[in-house]
Amino acid sequence: GENVEQHPSTLSVQEGDSAVIKCTYSDSASNYFPWYKQELGKRPQLIIDIRSNVGEKKDQRIAVTLNKTAKHFSLHITETQPEDSAVYFCAVSTSGTYKYIFGTGTRLKVLA
Amino acid sequence: DAGITQSPRYKITETGRQVTLMCHQTWSHSYMFWYRQDLGHGLRLIYYSAAADITDKGEVPDGYVVSRSKTENFPLTLESATRSQTSVYFCASSHTETQYFGPGTRLLVL
């Protein structure tokens, strides 16, 4: 079955710096790659997603890149702010199933 | 987000008891999902449903039962709770690929 690895598990950056989180997956049939942000005690919330027919997508300070050949995708956050501190999860879905396999999460700390 | 709710939000029970966690969504989404979240494991899929009366197992279904008689409801039952089922449980729903999560239920099994 599908396997998703996420790195790093924790990441500390200075305010204003960039943060990058990477996920690798195993199933070449996977075609949808969302990223969720989860603040302490809250529900996961979608922040950006990308489909397999697109290589990059950007939304203000957040971007996601996808390399289908290497089976990895990355979340990029620029100009980090303290409110970006949270746990970020990547997920992978295969066409027609709508099921997700999640990565194990990255705890991002933005230091003021 | 207010379109998907879970109850109870907190629950304490004892080993061997039956517990039902409720999930309700107002969007008429076809798909609904149950996940458990444990430290070090992220979110793992327990069961999912593609429509009313259609359910299927996820990664970690043992010890859980689901039903879906109505599109808007997707209850999760722990038939005989064990300490290893202490976790935070999230329900989610979707119309297409994007899933929207409920607020979660924090369950403690003593």
Side-chain angles (χ1 to χ4, degrees):
Chain A
E2 176 70 273
N3 183 47
V4 179
E5 293 189 2
Q6 182 172 345
H7 297 282
S9 57
T10 61
L11 178 60
S12 293
V13 299
Q14 291 292 328
E15 182 178 359
D17 287 350
S18 295
V20 180
I21 304 169
K22 182 177 177 179
C23 286
T24 60
Y25 61 98
S26 58
D27 188 351
S28 57
S30 299
N31 67 342
Y32 178 68
F33 309 90
W35 284 92
Y36 284 81
K37 174 183 181 181
Q38 187 179 29
E39 297 176 350
L40 190 62
K42 301 291 181 66
R43 74 188 79 190
Q45 293 198 305
L46 179 76
I47 55 171
I48 197 167
D49 58 8
I50 193 167
R51 289 178 171 78
S52 58
N53 59 348
V54 176
E56 183 174 359
K57 183 177 179 180
K58 193 172 182 180
D59 182 3
Q60 300 182 339
R61 297 187 296 109
I62 294 172
V64 56
T65 58
L66 172 64
N67 184 328
K68 285 195 302 179
T69 303
K71 297 197 190 76
H72 67 72
F73 58 110
S74 298
L75 176 70
H76 305 255
I77 305 174
T78 59
E79 301 173 16
T80 53
Q81 300 168 3
E83 52 264 39
D84 293 330
S85 295
V87 179
Y88 292 81
F89 291 96
C90 66
V92 173
S93 181
T94 304
S95 177
T97 69
Y98 296 163
K99 293 188 298 180
Y100 289 175
I101 300 296
F102 278 91
T104 50
T106 297
R107 183 173 300 278
L108 173 65
K109 296 180 184 178
V110 179
L111 307 172
Chain B
D1 287 341
I4 182 165
T5 57
Q6 294 183 234
S7 60
R9 296 293 313 280
Y10 304 91
K11 177 73 177 178
I12 300 174
T13 191
E14 296 177 339
T15 56
R17 291 190 181 257
Q18 184 178 82
V19 177
T20 296
L21 310 183
M22 303 301 294
C23 179
H24 176 78
Q25 52 103 356
T26 60
W27 295 310
S28 298
H29 284 171
S30 298
Y31 287 83
M32 296 188 75
F33 308 84
W34 274 107
Y35 294 91
R36 60 177 290 172
Q37 184 172 36
D38 306 290
L39 202 60
H41 290 281
L43 291 142
R44 291 181 291 174
L45 183 65
I46 304 171
Y47 269 95
Y48 69 102
S49 169
D53 298 322
I54 301 175
T55 62
D56 205 351
K57 297 178 181 179
E59 302 169 79
V60 288
D62 293 344
Y64 303 95
V65 174
V66 293
S67 62
R68 193 159 176 217
S69 58
K70 293 183 178 181
T71 300
E72 61 266 31
N73 296 324
F74 191 36
L76 175 74
T77 298
L78 289 65
E79 293 189 301
S80 179
T82 65
R83 289 195 183 90
S84 65
Q85 293 178 309
T86 291
S87 187
V88 180
Y89 291 85
F90 285 100
C91 175
S93 72
S94 72
H95 178 60
T96 58
E97 300 100 330
T98 303
Q99 293 183 20
Y100 299 92
F101 284 79
T105 295
R106 191 172 295 271
L107 176 67
L108 174 62
V109 182
L110 299 176

